[in-house]
Amino acid sequence: VQTCALPISAGRLFAGSFEDGTNKVRGVARAWDLATGRAEPIGGTPPDNRVSDIAESADGLVVCAQDNSVYFVDTGAAPLQFGPKLSFENAPKQMSAAGSTVAVTSQSPRNALLLIKAKQLQPEVKLDFEPTAVAVAPNESLIAVGSEGEPAPVCLLDASGGVVAKLERHKMAISALAFAPDCATLASGCANKEIVVWDVTARAPDRKSTRLN
């Protein structure tokens, strides 16, 4: 298993992985019934490479795969099927979704953020750093993007990809980002096991950082 998503509607857990066939790897996504523990594969044409991220959006389940594509799945349909597919030039690193916004960080050398709005791919957002983790705020007003390097700031972007602020505290690559449901706080984790909780409005840490053992 590469990734999991537990939609707010509950009842099902979605998991993404891959199968290594005779000649090539293909992506696989399954829906697990939490009551029975049974899994049903998502049908249709699967990704041509492993599934790296799964997230819930207003437009259905979003599946990001290493065939440089994002797939949408209508979670209200039966049986579940891979639906519309959007492709891009470079391999994805991480994906996040909220509402009708999907954000995908792209692997170097492009250093770009890919935005999808209501299933439509938007113009590529060029970044002046190598992106790592990404998180879309639940109200879709901000997008947090982590960076490589020493130090490694967290960049806050507006809904169209414009830089709003840089949150500077971490000394190593950002590995994880998550907004609180009210969008007032943001948690960031980095490679040196430090977690910082930020006051999004003040653009500053709102409590003492934590270092994991």
Side-chain angles (χ1 to χ4, degrees), residues 3-48:
T3 182
C4 292
L6 185 63
I8 296 173
S9 55
R12 290 187 294 191
L13 169 71
F14 294 97
S17 58
F18 65 92
E19 291 181 349
D20 192 351
T22 304
N23 297 313
K24 70 173 187 176
V25 171
R26 72 183 183 96
V28 176
R30 293 181 173 88
W32 293 79
D33 187 310
L34 297 179
T36 65
R38 295 179 179 176
E40 293 291 337
I42 295 176
T45 304
D48 289 329

Short mmCIF file of all heavy atoms in Angstrom, two decimals, residues 3-48:
data_model
loop_
_atom_site.label_atom_id
_atom_site.label_comp_id
_atom_site.label_asym_id
_atom_site.label_seq_id
_atom_site.Cartn_x
_atom_site.Cartn_y
_atom_site.Cartn_z
N THR A 3 -0.63 4.57 -0.35
CA THR A 3 -1.35 5.72 0.18
C THR A 3 -2.77 5.31 0.53
O THR A 3 -3.30 4.33 0.00
CB THR A 3 -1.38 6.86 -0.86
OG1 THR A 3 -2.07 7.99 -0.32
CG2 THR A 3 -2.08 6.43 -2.14
N CYS A 4 -3.40 6.06 1.45
CA CYS A 4 -4.78 5.79 1.87
C CYS A 4 -5.54 7.10 2.00
O CYS A 4 -4.95 8.16 2.23
CB CYS A 4 -4.83 5.06 3.20
SG CYS A 4 -4.20 3.37 3.19
N ALA A 5 -6.87 7.02 1.88
CA ALA A 5 -7.74 8.17 2.11
C ALA A 5 -9.01 7.68 2.76
O ALA A 5 -9.59 6.67 2.35
CB ALA A 5 -8.07 8.88 0.80
N LEU A 6 -9.44 8.39 3.82
CA LEU A 6 -10.67 8.06 4.52
C LEU A 6 -11.62 9.24 4.36
O LEU A 6 -11.53 10.23 5.10
CB LEU A 6 -10.40 7.80 6.01
CG LEU A 6 -11.59 7.33 6.86
CD1 LEU A 6 -12.09 5.99 6.36
CD2 LEU A 6 -11.19 7.25 8.32
N PRO A 7 -12.53 9.19 3.38
CA PRO A 7 -13.42 10.32 3.12
C PRO A 7 -14.29 10.66 4.33
O PRO A 7 -14.57 9.81 5.17
CB PRO A 7 -14.28 9.83 1.95
CG PRO A 7 -13.44 8.78 1.29
CD PRO A 7 -12.70 8.11 2.41
N ILE A 8 -14.73 11.92 4.39
CA ILE A 8 -15.58 12.38 5.48
C ILE A 8 -16.86 11.57 5.54
O ILE A 8 -17.42 11.32 6.61
CB ILE A 8 -15.88 13.89 5.31
CG1 ILE A 8 -14.58 14.70 5.43
CG2 ILE A 8 -16.90 14.37 6.32
CD1 ILE A 8 -14.75 16.16 5.12
N SER A 9 -17.35 11.14 4.38
CA SER A 9 -18.59 10.35 4.34
C SER A 9 -18.44 9.02 5.04
O SER A 9 -19.42 8.37 5.38
CB SER A 9 -19.01 10.13 2.88
OG SER A 9 -17.95 9.53 2.15
N ALA A 10 -17.18 8.59 5.26
CA ALA A 10 -16.85 7.36 6.00
C ALA A 10 -17.50 6.13 5.35
O ALA A 10 -18.03 6.17 4.26
CB ALA A 10 -17.23 7.49 7.45
N GLY A 11 -17.39 5.03 6.07
CA GLY A 11 -17.93 3.78 5.54
C GLY A 11 -16.97 3.04 4.65
O GLY A 11 -17.03 1.81 4.54
N ARG A 12 -16.06 3.80 4.01
CA ARG A 12 -15.09 3.18 3.10
C ARG A 12 -13.71 3.80 3.28
O ARG A 12 -13.59 4.99 3.59
CB ARG A 12 -15.52 3.34 1.63
CG ARG A 12 -16.72 2.52 1.24
CD ARG A 12 -16.99 2.59 -0.24
NE ARG A 12 -17.39 3.93 -0.68
CZ ARG A 12 -17.87 4.18 -1.89
NH1 ARG A 12 -18.00 3.21 -2.78
NH2 ARG A 12 -18.21 5.41 -2.22
N LEU A 13 -12.72 2.99 3.09
CA LEU A 13 -11.33 3.45 3.06
C LEU A 13 -10.80 3.17 1.67
O LEU A 13 -10.96 2.06 1.14
CB LEU A 13 -10.50 2.68 4.10
CG LEU A 13 -8.97 2.86 4.02
CD1 LEU A 13 -8.60 4.26 4.48
CD2 LEU A 13 -8.26 1.81 4.86
N PHE A 14 -10.17 4.17 1.06
CA PHE A 14 -9.59 3.99 -0.27
C PHE A 14 -8.08 3.84 -0.14
O PHE A 14 -7.43 4.60 0.59
CB PHE A 14 -9.93 5.17 -1.18
CG PHE A 14 -11.39 5.28 -1.49
CD1 PHE A 14 -12.21 6.13 -0.77
CD2 PHE A 14 -11.95 4.50 -2.49
CE1 PHE A 14 -13.56 6.22 -1.05
CE2 PHE A 14 -13.31 4.58 -2.79
CZ PHE A 14 -14.11 5.45 -2.06
N ALA A 15 -7.52 2.87 -0.83
CA ALA A 15 -6.08 2.60 -0.76
C ALA A 15 -5.51 2.48 -2.16
O ALA A 15 -6.14 1.92 -3.06
CB ALA A 15 -5.81 1.33 0.03
N GLY A 16 -4.31 3.01 -2.34
CA GLY A 16 -3.63 2.94 -3.63
C GLY A 16 -2.34 2.17 -3.53
O GLY A 16 -1.63 2.25 -2.53
N SER A 17 -2.02 1.40 -4.56
CA SER A 17 -0.80 0.61 -4.57
C SER A 17 -0.42 0.29 -6.02
O SER A 17 -0.73 1.06 -6.92
CB SER A 17 -0.99 -0.69 -3.77
OG SER A 17 -2.06 -1.45 -4.29
N PHE A 18 0.22 -0.84 -6.22
CA PHE A 18 0.58 -1.24 -7.58
C PHE A 18 0.66 -2.76 -7.65
O PHE A 18 0.76 -3.45 -6.63
CB PHE A 18 1.90 -0.61 -8.02
CG PHE A 18 3.10 -1.08 -7.22
CD1 PHE A 18 3.85 -2.17 -7.65
CD2 PHE A 18 3.47 -0.45 -6.05
CE1 PHE A 18 4.94 -2.62 -6.93
CE2 PHE A 18 4.56 -0.89 -5.31
CZ PHE A 18 5.30 -1.97 -5.75
N GLU A 19 0.59 -3.27 -8.86
CA GLU A 19 0.80 -4.68 -9.12
C GLU A 19 1.93 -4.82 -10.13
O GLU A 19 1.98 -4.09 -11.12
CB GLU A 19 -0.47 -5.34 -9.66
CG GLU A 19 -1.58 -5.45 -8.64
CD GLU A 19 -2.82 -6.13 -9.18
OE1 GLU A 19 -2.89 -6.33 -10.41
OE2 GLU A 19 -3.73 -6.45 -8.38
N ASP A 20 2.83 -5.73 -9.84
CA ASP A 20 3.98 -5.95 -10.72
C ASP A 20 3.66 -7.13 -11.63
O ASP A 20 3.74 -8.29 -11.23
CB ASP A 20 5.23 -6.25 -9.86
CG ASP A 20 6.50 -6.20 -10.70
OD1 ASP A 20 6.40 -6.09 -11.93
OD2 ASP A 20 7.58 -6.25 -10.11
N GLY A 21 3.25 -6.81 -12.84
CA GLY A 21 2.91 -7.84 -13.81
C GLY A 21 4.14 -8.45 -14.45
O GLY A 21 5.27 -8.18 -14.05
N THR A 22 3.93 -9.24 -15.47
CA THR A 22 5.04 -9.92 -16.14
C THR A 22 5.99 -8.93 -16.79
O THR A 22 7.21 -9.07 -16.70
CB THR A 22 4.50 -10.88 -17.21
OG1 THR A 22 3.59 -11.80 -16.59
CG2 THR A 22 5.64 -11.66 -17.85
N ASN A 23 5.43 -7.90 -17.41
CA ASN A 23 6.27 -6.98 -18.17
C ASN A 23 6.27 -5.55 -17.66
O ASN A 23 7.16 -4.78 -18.01
CB ASN A 23 5.83 -6.98 -19.65
CG ASN A 23 6.02 -8.33 -20.30
OD1 ASN A 23 7.06 -8.94 -20.16
ND2 ASN A 23 4.99 -8.80 -21.01
N LYS A 24 5.29 -5.17 -16.84
CA LYS A 24 5.26 -3.78 -16.37
C LYS A 24 4.44 -3.65 -15.10
O LYS A 24 3.63 -4.52 -14.75
CB LYS A 24 4.70 -2.86 -17.46
CG LYS A 24 3.22 -3.02 -17.72
CD LYS A 24 2.75 -1.94 -18.68
CE LYS A 24 1.23 -1.97 -18.83
NZ LYS A 24 0.73 -0.87 -19.67
N VAL A 25 4.65 -2.52 -14.42
CA VAL A 25 3.91 -2.19 -13.21
C VAL A 25 2.66 -1.42 -13.60
O VAL A 25 2.68 -0.58 -14.49
CB VAL A 25 4.79 -1.35 -12.27
CG1 VAL A 25 3.97 -0.82 -11.10
CG2 VAL A 25 5.96 -2.17 -11.75
N ARG A 26 1.54 -1.69 -12.92
CA ARG A 26 0.34 -0.89 -13.14
C ARG A 26 -0.23 -0.48 -11.80
O ARG A 26 -0.07 -1.17 -10.79
CB ARG A 26 -0.71 -1.66 -13.95
CG ARG A 26 -1.40 -2.79 -13.21
CD ARG A 26 -2.36 -3.53 -14.12
NE ARG A 26 -3.09 -4.56 -13.41
CZ ARG A 26 -4.30 -4.41 -12.90
NH1 ARG A 26 -4.90 -3.24 -13.00
NH2 ARG A 26 -4.91 -5.40 -12.28
N GLY A 27 -0.88 0.68 -11.78
CA GLY A 27 -1.45 1.18 -10.54
C GLY A 27 -2.75 0.48 -10.19
O GLY A 27 -3.50 0.03 -11.06
N VAL A 28 -3.02 0.40 -8.89
CA VAL A 28 -4.24 -0.24 -8.40
C VAL A 28 -4.82 0.63 -7.29
O VAL A 28 -4.08 1.14 -6.45
CB VAL A 28 -3.95 -1.66 -7.85
CG1 VAL A 28 -5.21 -2.26 -7.25
CG2 VAL A 28 -3.40 -2.56 -8.94
N ALA A 29 -6.13 0.79 -7.29
CA ALA A 29 -6.83 1.46 -6.19
C ALA A 29 -8.00 0.59 -5.77
O ALA A 29 -8.68 -0.01 -6.62
CB ALA A 29 -7.30 2.84 -6.62
N ARG A 30 -8.22 0.51 -4.47
CA ARG A 30 -9.30 -0.33 -3.94
C ARG A 30 -10.13 0.44 -2.92
O ARG A 30 -9.62 1.32 -2.23
CB ARG A 30 -8.73 -1.60 -3.28
CG ARG A 30 -8.05 -2.56 -4.25
CD ARG A 30 -7.53 -3.79 -3.52
NE ARG A 30 -7.03 -4.81 -4.43
CZ ARG A 30 -5.79 -4.86 -4.87
NH1 ARG A 30 -4.92 -3.94 -4.50
NH2 ARG A 30 -5.41 -5.81 -5.70
N ALA A 31 -11.39 0.07 -2.83
CA ALA A 31 -12.30 0.61 -1.83
C ALA A 31 -12.56 -0.48 -0.80
O ALA A 31 -13.06 -1.55 -1.14
CB ALA A 31 -13.61 1.07 -2.47
N TRP A 32 -12.21 -0.19 0.47
CA TRP A 32 -12.39 -1.15 1.55
C TRP A 32 -13.65 -0.80 2.33
O TRP A 32 -13.79 0.33 2.81
CB TRP A 32 -11.19 -1.14 2.49
CG TRP A 32 -9.92 -1.65 1.86
CD1 TRP A 32 -9.09 -0.97 1.01
CD2 TRP A 32 -9.34 -2.94 2.04
NE1 TRP A 32 -8.03 -1.76 0.65
CE2 TRP A 32 -8.15 -2.98 1.27
CE3 TRP A 32 -9.71 -4.07 2.78
CZ2 TRP A 32 -7.34 -4.10 1.22
CZ3 TRP A 32 -8.89 -5.19 2.73
CH2 TRP A 32 -7.71 -5.20 1.95
N ASP A 33 -14.56 -1.75 2.47
CA ASP A 33 -15.75 -1.58 3.29
C ASP A 33 -15.34 -1.74 4.76
O ASP A 33 -14.90 -2.81 5.17
CB ASP A 33 -16.80 -2.63 2.91
CG ASP A 33 -18.13 -2.39 3.62
OD1 ASP A 33 -18.13 -2.23 4.85
OD2 ASP A 33 -19.17 -2.40 2.93
N LEU A 34 -15.48 -0.68 5.56
CA LEU A 34 -15.00 -0.71 6.93
C LEU A 34 -15.84 -1.64 7.82
O LEU A 34 -15.37 -2.08 8.87
CB LEU A 34 -14.99 0.70 7.52
CG LEU A 34 -14.04 1.69 6.82
CD1 LEU A 34 -14.13 3.05 7.48
CD2 LEU A 34 -12.61 1.18 6.84
N ALA A 35 -17.07 -1.92 7.41
CA ALA A 35 -17.92 -2.80 8.21
C ALA A 35 -17.57 -4.27 8.00
O ALA A 35 -17.58 -5.06 8.94
CB ALA A 35 -19.39 -2.56 7.88
N THR A 36 -17.26 -4.62 6.75
CA THR A 36 -17.00 -6.04 6.44
C THR A 36 -15.53 -6.36 6.26
O THR A 36 -15.14 -7.52 6.33
CB THR A 36 -17.74 -6.43 5.14
OG1 THR A 36 -17.18 -5.69 4.05
CG2 THR A 36 -19.23 -6.13 5.25
N GLY A 37 -14.71 -5.31 6.02
CA GLY A 37 -13.28 -5.55 5.77
C GLY A 37 -12.98 -6.03 4.37
O GLY A 37 -11.84 -6.40 4.06
N ARG A 38 -13.98 -6.02 3.51
CA ARG A 38 -13.79 -6.49 2.14
C ARG A 38 -13.36 -5.34 1.22
O ARG A 38 -13.79 -4.21 1.39
CB ARG A 38 -15.07 -7.13 1.61
CG ARG A 38 -15.47 -8.41 2.34
CD ARG A 38 -16.75 -8.98 1.77
NE ARG A 38 -17.13 -10.21 2.44
CZ ARG A 38 -18.25 -10.87 2.19
NH1 ARG A 38 -19.12 -10.39 1.30
NH2 ARG A 38 -18.52 -12.00 2.85
N ALA A 39 -12.53 -5.68 0.26
CA ALA A 39 -12.02 -4.68 -0.69
C ALA A 39 -12.51 -4.97 -2.09
O ALA A 39 -12.55 -6.13 -2.52
CB ALA A 39 -10.50 -4.65 -0.67
N GLU A 40 -12.90 -3.90 -2.80
CA GLU A 40 -13.29 -4.01 -4.20
C GLU A 40 -12.36 -3.12 -5.03
O GLU A 40 -12.17 -1.95 -4.70
CB GLU A 40 -14.73 -3.56 -4.40
CG GLU A 40 -15.77 -4.46 -3.76
CD GLU A 40 -15.88 -5.82 -4.45
OE1 GLU A 40 -15.50 -5.91 -5.63
OE2 GLU A 40 -16.33 -6.78 -3.79
N PRO A 41 -11.76 -3.68 -6.09
CA PRO A 41 -10.89 -2.84 -6.92
C PRO A 41 -11.69 -1.82 -7.72
O PRO A 41 -12.84 -2.09 -8.10
CB PRO A 41 -10.21 -3.86 -7.84
CG PRO A 41 -11.18 -4.99 -7.92
CD PRO A 41 -11.83 -5.07 -6.57
N ILE A 42 -11.10 -0.66 -7.93
CA ILE A 42 -11.71 0.33 -8.82
C ILE A 42 -11.46 -0.12 -10.25
O ILE A 42 -10.32 -0.40 -10.64
CB ILE A 42 -11.13 1.72 -8.56
CG1 ILE A 42 -11.52 2.18 -7.14
CG2 ILE A 42 -11.62 2.73 -9.60
CD1 ILE A 42 -10.92 3.50 -6.72
N GLY A 43 -12.53 -0.22 -11.02
CA GLY A 43 -12.43 -0.78 -12.37
C GLY A 43 -12.09 0.25 -13.42
O GLY A 43 -11.70 1.38 -13.12
N GLY A 44 -12.25 -0.15 -14.66
CA GLY A 44 -11.90 0.71 -15.78
C GLY A 44 -10.44 0.58 -16.15
O GLY A 44 -9.78 -0.41 -15.80
N THR A 45 -9.93 1.57 -16.84
CA THR A 45 -8.53 1.55 -17.27
C THR A 45 -7.64 2.07 -16.16
O THR A 45 -7.72 3.25 -15.79
CB THR A 45 -8.32 2.41 -18.53
OG1 THR A 45 -9.20 1.95 -19.56
CG2 THR A 45 -6.88 2.31 -19.01
N PRO A 46 -6.78 1.23 -15.57
CA PRO A 46 -5.97 1.65 -14.43
C PRO A 46 -4.76 2.48 -14.87
O PRO A 46 -4.39 2.49 -16.05
CB PRO A 46 -5.52 0.32 -13.82
CG PRO A 46 -5.41 -0.59 -15.00
CD PRO A 46 -6.53 -0.18 -15.93
N PRO A 47 -4.09 3.17 -13.93
CA PRO A 47 -2.86 3.90 -14.25
C PRO A 47 -1.78 2.95 -14.75
O PRO A 47 -1.76 1.76 -14.41
CB PRO A 47 -2.47 4.52 -12.91
CG PRO A 47 -3.73 4.59 -12.13
CD PRO A 47 -4.51 3.38 -12.53
N ASP A 48 -0.87 3.49 -15.55
CA ASP A 48 0.22 2.68 -16.10
C ASP A 48 1.41 2.58 -15.15
O ASP A 48 2.43 2.00 -15.52
CB ASP A 48 0.70 3.28 -17.43
CG ASP A 48 -0.33 3.10 -18.54
OD1 ASP A 48 -1.05 2.09 -18.50
OD2 ASP A 48 -0.40 3.97 -19.42
#
